[in-house]
Amino acid sequence: MSTLINTTVVEGIGVLTLNRPEKLNALNLEMIEAIAEVLYEWANHPEVKLLLLQGAGDRGFCAGGDVRSFYDSLTKGAADQMLGFLSAEYNVNRTIANFPKPVIAYMDGLCMGGGVGLAGHADIRIVTERSKVAMPETRIGLTPDVGGTHLLGHAPGRVGEYLGLTSSTMGPGDAIYAGFADMMISSEDYDDVISTLPDLSGLSAADLLAALEVMFGSSPTAAAKTGKALPEVLEANQQWIDRAFSQDDVESIMAALEDMPGEGPRAALEEMKTHSYLSQECALKCIRAARDGNNLSQALEREYNMVKYVISFPDFTEGVRAQLVDKDRNPQWTVKGPEDLNLAEIERVAHDVPDVA
């Protein structure tokens, strides 16, 4: 078994811990293959009644995939290495969503990209006052994946388009509101939650969530045990978000934001201007197709096809260079606007998905 994950079974609880804290538990192929092996073993293990996913260290559950390794593969002309990792990762995402026993994900600290792929499809998704949740792919020239478009597509109103195109980070209240999490606990209560799970391990996922909410949780509108109310930035801005992000394409969304008064629309527009135009258009089409389809497996197939399309352009490696390699934060995108895009081709990729369960 890989040292990059730790596993233990205690009183019916199978605990899987991502163990790469120096890299914020970023996922590489070794980790994904090890996780897949554990899920396969525990699915029918008679002693495992409940699965708990967590991350080592105190900085986060998982910061995402090891994007720097993707960059290295692509710059060496080995796109198949990146695509092979994604195929394995998406299978793990699908397995978690269909796991035959309740799955709890503890999303303390950072939970982004690939971390959302692990936690976001669990039965019970717990955030804390320290949680920061995001699908930040458009910032680096990629497009939301790991089933993220499925989650974004079913967020209230046009919140999914807003989050996907701006790569905005959600606090705990917004993560619950957007459908990326189910409940919040104080991080100080974590040990108490763990000690309680053996007594609850025979419950269905729905009953388990209800019991945990009664004992430890708080709703998005309630005060957490820390004494702080959960922020609800998304709900407070729902009106202008829906108006702007219901437009047909990225150009029209940006034009709508340009015409709107207020700090929120202005900040969203300025953020979008720094992101990959290609990525945003691809994300927009995938999020809307996922909303219409309401099928996680189809969303994953669509995302794989769209990532394959996106990395045929140089913008992803340029985005990673700017953010993680040279760190100049000044990507020189090759796709600068709709005139550089084949919108019909993007539409085709987003909708040419087989029927899968």
Side-chain angles (χ1 to χ4, degrees):
M1 180 63 64
S2 171
T3 60
L4 298 182
I5 68 167
N6 293 330
T7 61
T8 185
V9 179
V10 180
E11 297 185 83
I13 312 303
V15 182
L16 192 160
T17 305
L18 307 179
N19 188 36
R20 203 184 180 198
E22 74 282 0
K23 297 290 187 181
L24 290 172
N25 299 316
L27 301 167
N28 60 19
L29 184 59
E30 179 182 338
M31 295 173 75
I32 287 294
E33 289 178 341
I35 293 168
E37 182 180 339
V38 172
L39 293 175
Y40 178 80
E41 178 184 345
W42 283 357
N44 297 302
H45 196 303
E47 294 182 17
V48 177
K49 308 297 184 185
L50 172 69
L51 174 61
L52 172 66
L53 304 175
Q54 62 180 10
D58 58 5
R59 298 171 62 195
F61 170 68
C62 176
D66 192 342
V67 176
R68 179 60 189 264
S69 69
F70 298 164
Y71 173 87
D72 292 339
S73 297
L74 292 177
T75 54
K76 293 175 183 175
D80 59 316
Q81 292 181 7
M82 175 180 173
L83 293 171
F85 169 85
L86 294 180
S87 180
E89 182 182 26
Y90 296 178
N91 282 333
V92 165
N93 304 148
R94 189 180 291 108
T95 299
I96 290 172
N98 296 316
F99 201 69
K101 302 166 185 180
V103 180
I104 298 176
Y106 182 58
M107 303 162 65
D108 187 36
L110 287 179
C111 182
M112 299 188 174
V116 172
L118 296 180
H121 308 304
D123 298 295
I124 300 170
R125 303 158 303 171
I126 300 174
V127 286
T128 75
E129 75 281 358
R130 305 186 299 199
S131 293
K132 296 180 179 179
V133 183
M135 296 300 295
E137 288 79 9
T138 57
R139 186 173 292 134
I140 57 171
L142 203 57
T143 186
D145 65 337
V146 296
T149 61
H150 179 74
L151 297 171
L152 293 167
H154 294 88
R158 301 295 178 165
V159 161
E161 286 96 327
Y162 166 79
L163 292 170
L165 273 59
T166 65
S167 291
S168 295
T169 299
M170 295 174 276
D174 279 339
I176 294 171
Y177 179 74
F180 280 70
D182 299 298
M183 64 174 288
M184 175 181 172
I185 66 169
S186 166
S187 58
E188 296 176 356
D189 284 342
Y190 178 64
D191 290 340
D192 291 336
V193 172
I194 298 304
S195 65
T196 302
L197 289 179
D199 296 330
L200 304 176
S201 61
L203 298 178
S204 68
D207 289 343
L208 177 57
L209 174 60
L212 290 173
E213 285 180 326
V214 168
M215 289 186 282
F216 301 104
S218 64
S219 71
T221 56
K225 287 191 176 181
T226 57
K228 299 177 181 178
L230 301 185
E232 293 184 347
V233 175
L234 294 176
E235 186 172 16
N237 290 279
Q238 184 85 61
Q239 187 173 14
W240 69 258
I241 287 174
D242 287 353
R243 192 161 68 251
F245 286 86
S246 62
Q247 304 300 317
D248 289 341
D249 50 40
V250 172
E251 182 181 31
S252 300
I253 290 171
M254 295 177 78
L257 291 170
E258 185 79 56
D259 290 339
M260 290 180 182
E263 181 180 345
R266 184 166 56 252
L269 178 60
E270 291 307 311
E271 190 67 32
M272 288 178 65
K273 287 179 179 178
T274 69
H275 296 178
S276 163
Y277 197 97
L278 168 67
S279 294
Q280 291 178 95
E281 196 66 69
C282 292
L284 182 66
K285 298 300 185 286
C286 283
I287 291 166
R288 290 180 174 173
R291 176 184 293 125
D292 294 339
N294 193 22
N295 181 308
L296 174 60
S297 289
Q298 279 192 341
L300 288 164
E301 291 284 340
R302 181 183 300 109
E303 291 164 355
Y304 181 86
N305 293 339
M306 193 61 81
V307 168
K308 189 174 181 180
Y309 176 77
V310 168
I311 64 174
S312 69
F313 294 79
D315 282 9
F316 171 57
T317 51
E318 172 59 14
V320 177
R321 179 208 64 76
Q323 295 291 337
L324 300 177
V325 181
D326 298 334
K327 299 181 180 179
D328 58 30
R329 308 292 192 269
N330 186 31
Q332 301 301 304
W333 307 119
T334 58
V335 176
K336 301 183 184 301
E339 67 278 3
D340 299 324
L341 288 176
N342 185 336
L343 290 174
E345 180 67 6
I346 294 173
E347 287 278 6
R348 184 196 66 76
V349 175
H351 290 93
D352 187 15
V353 179
D355 291 331
V356 288

